[in-house]
Amino acid sequence: MARKRDPLEKVDNLARRKAKYAPVAAALTAVYGELDWSRNQDGMDELVSCILSQSTNDMNRDRAFARLKERFPNWEAVRFAVLDDLIDAVRPAGLANQKAPRIQDALTVIFETAGEYNIDFLNDLPLDEAKAWLVSLKGIGPKTAAIVLCFAYGRPAFPVDTHIFRVCKRVGFLPEKLSADDAHPVMEAIAPPEDYYQFHIQVIQHGRDTCHARKPACDRCPISGHCDYFVNES
C-alpha cells in the first residue's frame, strides 16, 4: 500500500509562507484585538452544533440547535428519538435527513465508548488520537474535529472553515491546489499553537468583513501588503 503523503510535502516555499504569519497576525490583532480562549459550549454541545452547521449558516444552525434542545430533555432522548421527530427538530439547519441520523450515530458511539453522553475523555488523549477518534464518527471531518478540540477544550487544533480557506489561500499561506482537509495541518505548521484560537477567529472575521468571496475589499485591507492575491491583481 502506498504511503499517504504528508500534506506538508505538498507545500512549496514553506519558509516564505511561514514568514508571512508574524506581520499578518500583528495587523489582524491591531484591527480585531487580542482574544483569550473561553469555553462557550461543552464538548457535546459543540459536536452536535458542528454537525448541524455543515452546509448552512450560523443562524440556521443556532435555530436548529435551539429547537433540538427545546424538544428533547437530554442526549439519551435524542439518541432514541423517533427519527422523523428528530429530523423535524433540526430541519432549520438543512439536510436534516442526513444530520439527524449522524447525530444519533454519534451519540450511540459516544455512549458505547464512554458509558455516558460525554466526550470529555478526549481531553485526556494525545491530540492526534483525539482527532482520529472524532473523525472516526460518521460525517465528522478534520474541520469539526478541530473545532471541538479547539473551542470546547482549548487544545492546539486549527480549524479551517470556508472563510479561512479562502483568506489563507489569497494571502499565500496555502498553495492554490491544496485541499481543505490538507489545509489543517499546514496552518498548524504556520501559526504558533498558542495563537490557533485567536488567529482562527481573526481570520474568520476578516473574511466576513473585508476579504469577501466575490469582491474582496483590498483597498481597505490591513494585510494587503502581505497578500499574494493583492500583489498579483495589482
PDB file of all heavy atoms in Angstrom, residues 154-193:
ATOM      1  N   GLY A 154      -9.886  23.931  24.337  1.00  0.00           N
ATOM      2  CA  GLY A 154      -8.719  24.811  24.299  1.00  0.00           C
ATOM      3  C   GLY A 154      -7.457  24.110  23.862  1.00  0.00           C
ATOM      4  O   GLY A 154      -6.348  24.527  24.216  1.00  0.00           O
ATOM      5  N   ARG A 155      -7.606  23.069  23.047  1.00  0.00           N
ATOM      6  CA  ARG A 155      -6.439  22.301  22.620  1.00  0.00           C
ATOM      7  C   ARG A 155      -5.897  22.869  21.299  1.00  0.00           C
ATOM      8  O   ARG A 155      -6.635  23.496  20.529  1.00  0.00           O
ATOM      9  CB  ARG A 155      -6.788  20.820  22.485  1.00  0.00           C
ATOM     10  CG  ARG A 155      -7.309  20.236  23.803  1.00  0.00           C
ATOM     11  CD  ARG A 155      -7.240  18.744  23.834  1.00  0.00           C
ATOM     12  NE  ARG A 155      -5.849  18.267  23.853  1.00  0.00           N
ATOM     13  CZ  ARG A 155      -5.524  16.982  23.869  1.00  0.00           C
ATOM     14  NH1 ARG A 155      -6.470  16.052  23.855  1.00  0.00           N
ATOM     15  NH2 ARG A 155      -4.253  16.606  23.877  1.00  0.00           N
ATOM     16  N   PRO A 156      -4.617  22.660  21.029  1.00  0.00           N
ATOM     17  CA  PRO A 156      -3.999  23.277  19.857  1.00  0.00           C
ATOM     18  C   PRO A 156      -4.339  22.570  18.542  1.00  0.00           C
ATOM     19  O   PRO A 156      -3.536  21.832  17.965  1.00  0.00           O
ATOM     20  CB  PRO A 156      -2.501  23.184  20.160  1.00  0.00           C
ATOM     21  CG  PRO A 156      -2.384  21.971  21.024  1.00  0.00           C
ATOM     22  CD  PRO A 156      -3.627  21.954  21.868  1.00  0.00           C
ATOM     23  N   ALA A 157      -5.558  22.796  18.097  1.00  0.00           N
ATOM     24  CA  ALA A 157      -6.012  22.323  16.790  1.00  0.00           C
ATOM     25  C   ALA A 157      -6.510  23.544  16.030  1.00  0.00           C
ATOM     26  O   ALA A 157      -7.178  24.408  16.616  1.00  0.00           O
ATOM     27  CB  ALA A 157      -7.122  21.291  16.945  1.00  0.00           C
ATOM     28  N   PHE A 158      -6.191  23.626  14.746  1.00  0.00           N
ATOM     29  CA  PHE A 158      -6.546  24.814  13.960  1.00  0.00           C
ATOM     30  C   PHE A 158      -7.652  24.458  12.961  1.00  0.00           C
ATOM     31  O   PHE A 158      -7.388  23.800  11.960  1.00  0.00           O
ATOM     32  CB  PHE A 158      -5.330  25.364  13.213  1.00  0.00           C
ATOM     33  CG  PHE A 158      -5.562  26.731  12.642  1.00  0.00           C
ATOM     34  CD1 PHE A 158      -5.173  27.857  13.331  1.00  0.00           C
ATOM     35  CD2 PHE A 158      -6.186  26.889  11.412  1.00  0.00           C
ATOM     36  CE1 PHE A 158      -5.402  29.133  12.810  1.00  0.00           C
ATOM     37  CE2 PHE A 158      -6.421  28.154  10.881  1.00  0.00           C
ATOM     38  CZ  PHE A 158      -6.030  29.274  11.582  1.00  0.00           C
ATOM     39  N   PRO A 159      -8.889  24.894  13.211  1.00  0.00           N
ATOM     40  CA  PRO A 159      -9.971  24.597  12.275  1.00  0.00           C
ATOM     41  C   PRO A 159      -9.884  25.485  11.036  1.00  0.00           C
ATOM     42  O   PRO A 159      -9.599  26.681  11.132  1.00  0.00           O
ATOM     43  CB  PRO A 159     -11.240  24.933  13.075  1.00  0.00           C
ATOM     44  CG  PRO A 159     -10.788  25.157  14.490  1.00  0.00           C
ATOM     45  CD  PRO A 159      -9.369  25.599  14.406  1.00  0.00           C
ATOM     46  N   VAL A 160     -10.130  24.894   9.885  1.00  0.00           N
ATOM     47  CA  VAL A 160     -10.131  25.635   8.620  1.00  0.00           C
ATOM     48  C   VAL A 160     -11.540  25.569   8.029  1.00  0.00           C
ATOM     49  O   VAL A 160     -11.962  24.535   7.525  1.00  0.00           O
ATOM     50  CB  VAL A 160      -9.112  25.058   7.623  1.00  0.00           C
ATOM     51  CG1 VAL A 160      -9.192  25.785   6.280  1.00  0.00           C
ATOM     52  CG2 VAL A 160      -7.695  25.168   8.190  1.00  0.00           C
ATOM     53  N   ASP A 161     -12.263  26.691   8.120  1.00  0.00           N
ATOM     54  CA  ASP A 161     -13.594  26.761   7.508  1.00  0.00           C
ATOM     55  C   ASP A 161     -13.475  27.452   6.156  1.00  0.00           C
ATOM     56  O   ASP A 161     -12.380  27.710   5.664  1.00  0.00           O
ATOM     57  CB  ASP A 161     -14.588  27.469   8.439  1.00  0.00           C
ATOM     58  CG  ASP A 161     -14.384  28.975   8.475  1.00  0.00           C
ATOM     59  OD1 ASP A 161     -13.310  29.467   8.051  1.00  0.00           O
ATOM     60  OD2 ASP A 161     -15.310  29.679   8.918  1.00  0.00           O
ATOM     61  N   THR A 162     -14.606  27.752   5.535  1.00  0.00           N
ATOM     62  CA  THR A 162     -14.573  28.326   4.185  1.00  0.00           C
ATOM     63  C   THR A 162     -13.906  29.700   4.164  1.00  0.00           C
ATOM     64  O   THR A 162     -13.184  30.024   3.221  1.00  0.00           O
ATOM     65  CB  THR A 162     -15.989  28.433   3.597  1.00  0.00           C
ATOM     66  OG1 THR A 162     -16.829  29.157   4.513  1.00  0.00           O
ATOM     67  CG2 THR A 162     -16.584  27.056   3.375  1.00  0.00           C
ATOM     68  N   HIS A 163     -14.156  30.526   5.191  1.00  0.00           N
ATOM     69  CA  HIS A 163     -13.525  31.848   5.239  1.00  0.00           C
ATOM     70  C   HIS A 163     -12.008  31.713   5.364  1.00  0.00           C
ATOM     71  O   HIS A 163     -11.249  32.385   4.656  1.00  0.00           O
ATOM     72  CB  HIS A 163     -14.067  32.660   6.418  1.00  0.00           C
ATOM     73  CG  HIS A 163     -15.498  33.060   6.295  1.00  0.00           C
ATOM     74  ND1 HIS A 163     -15.948  33.938   5.334  1.00  0.00           N
ATOM     75  CD2 HIS A 163     -16.588  32.697   7.010  1.00  0.00           C
ATOM     76  CE1 HIS A 163     -17.249  34.109   5.464  1.00  0.00           C
ATOM     77  NE2 HIS A 163     -17.657  33.355   6.473  1.00  0.00           N
ATOM     78  N   ILE A 164     -11.566  30.860   6.273  1.00  0.00           N
ATOM     79  CA  ILE A 164     -10.132  30.699   6.493  1.00  0.00           C
ATOM     80  C   ILE A 164      -9.461  30.103   5.265  1.00  0.00           C
ATOM     81  O   ILE A 164      -8.375  30.541   4.861  1.00  0.00           O
ATOM     82  CB  ILE A 164      -9.885  29.829   7.740  1.00  0.00           C
ATOM     83  CG1 ILE A 164     -10.299  30.635   8.985  1.00  0.00           C
ATOM     84  CG2 ILE A 164      -8.417  29.401   7.838  1.00  0.00           C
ATOM     85  CD1 ILE A 164     -10.189  29.882  10.272  1.00  0.00           C
ATOM     86  N   PHE A 165     -10.104  29.137   4.648  1.00  0.00           N
ATOM     87  CA  PHE A 165      -9.544  28.513   3.449  1.00  0.00           C
ATOM     88  C   PHE A 165      -9.350  29.550   2.347  1.00  0.00           C
ATOM     89  O   PHE A 165      -8.300  29.612   1.705  1.00  0.00           O
ATOM     90  CB  PHE A 165     -10.488  27.405   2.991  1.00  0.00           C
ATOM     91  CG  PHE A 165      -9.900  26.461   1.977  1.00  0.00           C
ATOM     92  CD1 PHE A 165      -8.654  25.882   2.171  1.00  0.00           C
ATOM     93  CD2 PHE A 165     -10.605  26.133   0.832  1.00  0.00           C
ATOM     94  CE1 PHE A 165      -8.120  24.992   1.246  1.00  0.00           C
ATOM     95  CE2 PHE A 165     -10.087  25.248  -0.095  1.00  0.00           C
ATOM     96  CZ  PHE A 165      -8.841  24.675   0.113  1.00  0.00           C
ATOM     97  N   ARG A 166     -10.343  30.416   2.159  1.00  0.00           N
ATOM     98  CA  ARG A 166     -10.275  31.448   1.118  1.00  0.00           C
ATOM     99  C   ARG A 166      -9.198  32.490   1.448  1.00  0.00           C
ATOM    100  O   ARG A 166      -8.336  32.799   0.605  1.00  0.00           O
ATOM    101  CB  ARG A 166     -11.640  32.142   0.997  1.00  0.00           C
ATOM    102  CG  ARG A 166     -11.656  33.278  -0.021  1.00  0.00           C
ATOM    103  CD  ARG A 166     -13.030  33.912  -0.109  1.00  0.00           C
ATOM    104  NE  ARG A 166     -13.394  34.696   1.052  1.00  0.00           N
ATOM    105  CZ  ARG A 166     -14.295  34.339   1.967  1.00  0.00           C
ATOM    106  NH1 ARG A 166     -14.899  33.177   1.882  1.00  0.00           N
ATOM    107  NH2 ARG A 166     -14.573  35.133   2.979  1.00  0.00           N
ATOM    108  N   VAL A 167      -9.246  33.031   2.653  1.00  0.00           N
ATOM    109  CA  VAL A 167      -8.309  34.089   3.028  1.00  0.00           C
ATOM    110  C   VAL A 167      -6.871  33.575   3.015  1.00  0.00           C
ATOM    111  O   VAL A 167      -5.963  34.242   2.497  1.00  0.00           O
ATOM    112  CB  VAL A 167      -8.662  34.665   4.418  1.00  0.00           C
ATOM    113  CG1 VAL A 167      -7.593  35.660   4.879  1.00  0.00           C
ATOM    114  CG2 VAL A 167     -10.031  35.345   4.389  1.00  0.00           C
ATOM    115  N   CYS A 168      -6.657  32.392   3.558  1.00  0.00           N
ATOM    116  CA  CYS A 168      -5.293  31.871   3.662  1.00  0.00           C
ATOM    117  C   CYS A 168      -4.721  31.489   2.305  1.00  0.00           C
ATOM    118  O   CYS A 168      -3.500  31.562   2.106  1.00  0.00           O
ATOM    119  CB  CYS A 168      -5.257  30.694   4.627  1.00  0.00           C
ATOM    120  SG  CYS A 168      -5.472  31.202   6.357  1.00  0.00           S
ATOM    121  N   LYS A 169      -5.567  31.115   1.368  1.00  0.00           N
ATOM    122  CA  LYS A 169      -5.077  30.892   0.006  1.00  0.00           C
ATOM    123  C   LYS A 169      -4.716  32.222  -0.647  1.00  0.00           C
ATOM    124  O   LYS A 169      -3.684  32.332  -1.306  1.00  0.00           O
ATOM    125  CB  LYS A 169      -6.139  30.168  -0.829  1.00  0.00           C
ATOM    126  CG  LYS A 169      -6.118  28.669  -0.655  1.00  0.00           C
ATOM    127  CD  LYS A 169      -6.924  27.973  -1.728  1.00  0.00           C
ATOM    128  CE  LYS A 169      -6.719  26.472  -1.675  1.00  0.00           C
ATOM    129  NZ  LYS A 169      -7.416  25.764  -2.764  1.00  0.00           N
ATOM    130  N   ARG A 170      -5.559  33.225  -0.465  1.00  0.00           N
ATOM    131  CA  ARG A 170      -5.273  34.519  -1.079  1.00  0.00           C
ATOM    132  C   ARG A 170      -4.003  35.135  -0.514  1.00  0.00           C
ATOM    133  O   ARG A 170      -3.167  35.660  -1.263  1.00  0.00           O
ATOM    134  CB  ARG A 170      -6.462  35.468  -0.872  1.00  0.00           C
ATOM    135  CG  ARG A 170      -7.640  35.180  -1.792  1.00  0.00           C
ATOM    136  CD  ARG A 170      -8.800  36.103  -1.502  1.00  0.00           C
ATOM    137  NE  ARG A 170      -9.876  35.928  -2.472  1.00  0.00           N
ATOM    138  CZ  ARG A 170     -11.101  36.412  -2.303  1.00  0.00           C
ATOM    139  NH1 ARG A 170     -11.399  37.111  -1.218  1.00  0.00           N
ATOM    140  NH2 ARG A 170     -12.021  36.206  -3.221  1.00  0.00           N
ATOM    141  N   VAL A 171      -3.850  35.076   0.789  1.00  0.00           N
ATOM    142  CA  VAL A 171      -2.658  35.654   1.413  1.00  0.00           C
ATOM    143  C   VAL A 171      -1.401  34.934   0.935  1.00  0.00           C
ATOM    144  O   VAL A 171      -0.364  35.543   0.706  1.00  0.00           O
ATOM    145  CB  VAL A 171      -2.773  35.591   2.950  1.00  0.00           C
ATOM    146  CG1 VAL A 171      -1.449  35.969   3.609  1.00  0.00           C
ATOM    147  CG2 VAL A 171      -3.873  36.535   3.427  1.00  0.00           C
ATOM    148  N   GLY A 172      -1.516  33.607   0.786  1.00  0.00           N
ATOM    149  CA  GLY A 172      -0.368  32.823   0.358  1.00  0.00           C
ATOM    150  C   GLY A 172       0.139  31.877   1.423  1.00  0.00           C
ATOM    151  O   GLY A 172       1.218  31.294   1.279  1.00  0.00           O
ATOM    152  N   PHE A 173      -0.652  31.686   2.489  1.00  0.00           N
ATOM    153  CA  PHE A 173      -0.291  30.668   3.470  1.00  0.00           C
ATOM    154  C   PHE A 173      -0.447  29.269   2.859  1.00  0.00           C
ATOM    155  O   PHE A 173       0.320  28.366   3.171  1.00  0.00           O
ATOM    156  CB  PHE A 173      -1.194  30.764   4.702  1.00  0.00           C
ATOM    157  CG  PHE A 173      -0.950  31.966   5.571  1.00  0.00           C
ATOM    158  CD1 PHE A 173      -1.997  32.774   5.965  1.00  0.00           C
ATOM    159  CD2 PHE A 173       0.329  32.274   6.020  1.00  0.00           C
ATOM    160  CE1 PHE A 173      -1.790  33.865   6.787  1.00  0.00           C
ATOM    161  CE2 PHE A 173       0.558  33.366   6.838  1.00  0.00           C
ATOM    162  CZ  PHE A 173      -0.504  34.168   7.216  1.00  0.00           C
ATOM    163  N   LEU A 174      -1.453  29.119   2.001  1.00  0.00           N
ATOM    164  CA  LEU A 174      -1.771  27.814   1.430  1.00  0.00           C
ATOM    165  C   LEU A 174      -1.576  27.829  -0.086  1.00  0.00           C
ATOM    166  O   LEU A 174      -1.961  28.794  -0.741  1.00  0.00           O
ATOM    167  CB  LEU A 174      -3.232  27.455   1.729  1.00  0.00           C
ATOM    168  CG  LEU A 174      -3.653  27.426   3.194  1.00  0.00           C
ATOM    169  CD1 LEU A 174      -5.162  27.228   3.305  1.00  0.00           C
ATOM    170  CD2 LEU A 174      -2.908  26.325   3.946  1.00  0.00           C
ATOM    171  N   PRO A 175      -1.023  26.759  -0.639  1.00  0.00           N
ATOM    172  CA  PRO A 175      -0.937  26.660  -2.097  1.00  0.00           C
ATOM    173  C   PRO A 175      -2.325  26.593  -2.722  1.00  0.00           C
ATOM    174  O   PRO A 175      -3.278  26.102  -2.104  1.00  0.00           O
ATOM    175  CB  PRO A 175      -0.179  25.338  -2.321  1.00  0.00           C
ATOM    176  CG  PRO A 175       0.478  25.032  -1.033  1.00  0.00           C
ATOM    177  CD  PRO A 175      -0.390  25.615   0.041  1.00  0.00           C
ATOM    178  N   GLU A 176      -2.449  27.051  -3.935  1.00  0.00           N
ATOM    179  CA  GLU A 176      -3.740  27.149  -4.602  1.00  0.00           C
ATOM    180  C   GLU A 176      -4.434  25.802  -4.731  1.00  0.00           C
ATOM    181  O   GLU A 176      -5.656  25.708  -4.600  1.00  0.00           O
ATOM    182  CB  GLU A 176      -3.556  27.782  -5.988  1.00  0.00           C
ATOM    183  CG  GLU A 176      -4.864  28.069  -6.709  1.00  0.00           C
ATOM    184  CD  GLU A 176      -5.791  29.002  -5.929  1.00  0.00           C
ATOM    185  OE1 GLU A 176      -5.274  29.918  -5.259  1.00  0.00           O
ATOM    186  OE2 GLU A 176      -7.019  28.797  -5.979  1.00  0.00           O
ATOM    187  N   LYS A 177      -3.683  24.737  -4.979  1.00  0.00           N
ATOM    188  CA  LYS A 177      -4.294  23.435  -5.254  1.00  0.00           C
ATOM    189  C   LYS A 177      -4.435  22.556  -4.008  1.00  0.00           C
ATOM    190  O   LYS A 177      -4.891  21.417  -4.103  1.00  0.00           O
ATOM    191  CB  LYS A 177      -3.503  22.695  -6.327  1.00  0.00           C
ATOM    192  CG  LYS A 177      -3.548  23.383  -7.687  1.00  0.00           C
ATOM    193  CD  LYS A 177      -2.815  22.568  -8.740  1.00  0.00           C
ATOM    194  CE  LYS A 177      -2.893  23.248 -10.102  1.00  0.00           C
ATOM    195  NZ  LYS A 177      -2.183  22.475 -11.153  1.00  0.00           N
ATOM    196  N   LEU A 178      -4.085  23.061  -2.848  1.00  0.00           N
ATOM    197  CA  LEU A 178      -4.192  22.274  -1.624  1.00  0.00           C
ATOM    198  C   LEU A 178      -5.662  22.085  -1.254  1.00  0.00           C
ATOM    199  O   LEU A 178      -6.469  23.009  -1.360  1.00  0.00           O
ATOM    200  CB  LEU A 178      -3.454  22.973  -0.484  1.00  0.00           C
ATOM    201  CG  LEU A 178      -3.174  22.125   0.754  1.00  0.00           C
ATOM    202  CD1 LEU A 178      -2.047  21.127   0.468  1.00  0.00           C
ATOM    203  CD2 LEU A 178      -2.806  23.005   1.942  1.00  0.00           C
ATOM    204  N   SER A 179      -6.027  20.900  -0.791  1.00  0.00           N
ATOM    205  CA  SER A 179      -7.406  20.632  -0.393  1.00  0.00           C
ATOM    206  C   SER A 179      -7.707  21.224   0.979  1.00  0.00           C
ATOM    207  O   SER A 179      -6.792  21.520   1.761  1.00  0.00           O
ATOM    208  CB  SER A 179      -7.667  19.123  -0.349  1.00  0.00           C
ATOM    209  OG  SER A 179      -6.997  18.537   0.755  1.00  0.00           O
ATOM    210  N   ALA A 180      -8.990  21.351   1.287  1.00  0.00           N
ATOM    211  CA  ALA A 180      -9.398  21.893   2.590  1.00  0.00           C
ATOM    212  C   ALA A 180      -8.948  20.987   3.726  1.00  0.00           C
ATOM    213  O   ALA A 180      -8.502  21.461   4.779  1.00  0.00           O
ATOM    214  CB  ALA A 180     -10.912  22.082   2.618  1.00  0.00           C
ATOM    215  N   ASP A 181      -9.053  19.677   3.540  1.00  0.00           N
ATOM    216  CA  ASP A 181      -8.623  18.758   4.600  1.00  0.00           C
ATOM    217  C   ASP A 181      -7.130  18.876   4.859  1.00  0.00           C
ATOM    218  O   ASP A 181      -6.685  18.859   6.017  1.00  0.00           O
ATOM    219  CB  ASP A 181      -8.977  17.314   4.228  1.00  0.00           C
ATOM    220  CG  ASP A 181     -10.457  17.005   4.406  1.00  0.00           C
ATOM    221  OD1 ASP A 181     -11.188  17.876   4.938  1.00  0.00           O
ATOM    222  OD2 ASP A 181     -10.882  15.907   4.021  1.00  0.00           O
ATOM    223  N   ASP A 182      -6.340  19.011   3.807  1.00  0.00           N
ATOM    224  CA  ASP A 182      -4.890  19.137   3.970  1.00  0.00           C
ATOM    225  C   ASP A 182      -4.484  20.487   4.544  1.00  0.00           C
ATOM    226  O   ASP A 182      -3.359  20.648   5.047  1.00  0.00           O
ATOM    227  CB  ASP A 182      -4.183  18.925   2.630  1.00  0.00           C
ATOM    228  CG  ASP A 182      -4.123  17.465   2.228  1.00  0.00           C
ATOM    229  OD1 ASP A 182      -4.370  16.588   3.076  1.00  0.00           O
ATOM    230  OD2 ASP A 182      -3.818  17.184   1.052  1.00  0.00           O
ATOM    231  N   ALA A 183      -5.392  21.463   4.469  1.00  0.00           N
ATOM    232  CA  ALA A 183      -5.062  22.800   4.964  1.00  0.00           C
ATOM    233  C   ALA A 183      -4.899  22.831   6.485  1.00  0.00           C
ATOM    234  O   ALA A 183      -4.158  23.672   7.009  1.00  0.00           O
ATOM    235  CB  ALA A 183      -6.140  23.793   4.543  1.00  0.00           C
ATOM    236  N   HIS A 184      -5.575  21.927   7.193  1.00  0.00           N
ATOM    237  CA  HIS A 184      -5.498  21.950   8.657  1.00  0.00           C
ATOM    238  C   HIS A 184      -4.068  21.749   9.167  1.00  0.00           C
ATOM    239  O   HIS A 184      -3.574  22.602   9.926  1.00  0.00           O
ATOM    240  CB  HIS A 184      -6.441  20.893   9.246  1.00  0.00           C
ATOM    241  CG  HIS A 184      -7.888  21.192   9.045  1.00  0.00           C
ATOM    242  ND1 HIS A 184      -8.544  20.938   7.859  1.00  0.00           N
ATOM    243  CD2 HIS A 184      -8.811  21.736   9.866  1.00  0.00           C
ATOM    244  CE1 HIS A 184      -9.803  21.309   7.968  1.00  0.00           C
ATOM    245  NE2 HIS A 184      -9.990  21.796   9.173  1.00  0.00           N
ATOM    246  N   PRO A 185      -3.385  20.674   8.803  1.00  0.00           N
ATOM    247  CA  PRO A 185      -2.012  20.518   9.310  1.00  0.00           C
ATOM    248  C   PRO A 185      -1.048  21.580   8.792  1.00  0.00           C
ATOM    249  O   PRO A 185      -0.075  21.926   9.475  1.00  0.00           O
ATOM    250  CB  PRO A 185      -1.602  19.118   8.831  1.00  0.00           C
ATOM    251  CG  PRO A 185      -2.525  18.796   7.711  1.00  0.00           C
ATOM    252  CD  PRO A 185      -3.808  19.490   8.031  1.00  0.00           C
ATOM    253  N   VAL A 186      -1.311  22.132   7.613  1.00  0.00           N
ATOM    254  CA  VAL A 186      -0.432  23.179   7.086  1.00  0.00           C
ATOM    255  C   VAL A 186      -0.566  24.445   7.925  1.00  0.00           C
ATOM    256  O   VAL A 186       0.437  25.059   8.313  1.00  0.00           O
ATOM    257  CB  VAL A 186      -0.728  23.463   5.599  1.00  0.00           C
ATOM    258  CG1 VAL A 186       0.100  24.657   5.104  1.00  0.00           C
ATOM    259  CG2 VAL A 186      -0.426  22.229   4.760  1.00  0.00           C
ATOM    260  N   MET A 187      -1.793  24.835   8.244  1.00  0.00           N
ATOM    261  CA  MET A 187      -1.976  26.025   9.079  1.00  0.00           C
ATOM    262  C   MET A 187      -1.448  25.789  10.490  1.00  0.00           C
ATOM    263  O   MET A 187      -0.961  26.716  11.139  1.00  0.00           O
ATOM    264  CB  MET A 187      -3.450  26.427   9.114  1.00  0.00           C
ATOM    265  CG  MET A 187      -3.965  27.033   7.813  1.00  0.00           C
ATOM    266  SD  MET A 187      -2.921  28.396   7.175  1.00  0.00           S
ATOM    267  CE  MET A 187      -2.947  29.553   8.550  1.00  0.00           C
ATOM    268  N   GLU A 188      -1.517  24.548  10.955  1.00  0.00           N
ATOM    269  CA  GLU A 188      -0.947  24.243  12.272  1.00  0.00           C
ATOM    270  C   GLU A 188       0.576  24.352  12.258  1.00  0.00           C
ATOM    271  O   GLU A 188       1.182  24.619  13.303  1.00  0.00           O
ATOM    272  CB  GLU A 188      -1.389  22.847  12.717  1.00  0.00           C
ATOM    273  CG  GLU A 188      -2.855  22.798  13.113  1.00  0.00           C
ATOM    274  CD  GLU A 188      -3.336  21.421  13.538  1.00  0.00           C
ATOM    275  OE1 GLU A 188      -2.594  20.442  13.347  1.00  0.00           O
ATOM    276  OE2 GLU A 188      -4.470  21.341  14.051  1.00  0.00           O
ATOM    277  N   ALA A 189       1.168  24.160  11.091  1.00  0.00           N
ATOM    278  CA  ALA A 189       2.623  24.316  10.972  1.00  0.00           C
ATOM    279  C   ALA A 189       3.019  25.777  10.821  1.00  0.00           C
ATOM    280  O   ALA A 189       4.143  26.158  11.158  1.00  0.00           O
ATOM    281  CB  ALA A 189       3.135  23.516   9.774  1.00  0.00           C
ATOM    282  N   ILE A 190       2.104  26.608  10.320  1.00  0.00           N
ATOM    283  CA  ILE A 190       2.420  28.016  10.059  1.00  0.00           C
ATOM    284  C   ILE A 190       2.188  28.889  11.284  1.00  0.00           C
ATOM    285  O   ILE A 190       3.007  29.749  11.613  1.00  0.00           O
ATOM    286  CB  ILE A 190       1.593  28.514   8.857  1.00  0.00           C
ATOM    287  CG1 ILE A 190       2.167  27.922   7.557  1.00  0.00           C
ATOM    288  CG2 ILE A 190       1.556  30.042   8.790  1.00  0.00           C
ATOM    289  CD1 ILE A 190       1.365  28.217   6.325  1.00  0.00           C
ATOM    290  N   ALA A 191       1.067  28.696  11.967  1.00  0.00           N
ATOM    291  CA  ALA A 191       0.747  29.513  13.145  1.00  0.00           C
ATOM    292  C   ALA A 191       1.273  28.838  14.411  1.00  0.00           C
ATOM    293  O   ALA A 191       1.255  27.615  14.513  1.00  0.00           O
ATOM    294  CB  ALA A 191      -0.763  29.709  13.249  1.00  0.00           C
ATOM    295  N   PRO A 192       1.725  29.597  15.386  1.00  0.00           N
ATOM    296  CA  PRO A 192       2.134  29.012  16.665  1.00  0.00           C
ATOM    297  C   PRO A 192       0.921  28.426  17.391  1.00  0.00           C
ATOM    298  O   PRO A 192      -0.166  29.020  17.358  1.00  0.00           O
ATOM    299  CB  PRO A 192       2.700  30.214  17.441  1.00  0.00           C
ATOM    300  CG  PRO A 192       2.955  31.267  16.423  1.00  0.00           C
ATOM    301  CD  PRO A 192       1.950  31.052  15.345  1.00  0.00           C
ATOM    302  N   PRO A 193       1.057  27.279  18.042  1.00  0.00           N
ATOM    303  CA  PRO A 193      -0.092  26.641  18.706  1.00  0.00           C
ATOM    304  C   PRO A 193      -0.839  27.556  19.671  1.00  0.00           C
ATOM    305  O   PRO A 193      -2.074  27.497  19.755  1.00  0.00           O
ATOM    306  CB  PRO A 193       0.547  25.456  19.438  1.00  0.00           C
ATOM    307  CG  PRO A 193       1.757  25.122  18.634  1.00  0.00           C
ATOM    308  CD  PRO A 193       2.273  26.445  18.129  1.00  0.00           C
TER     309      PRO A 193
END
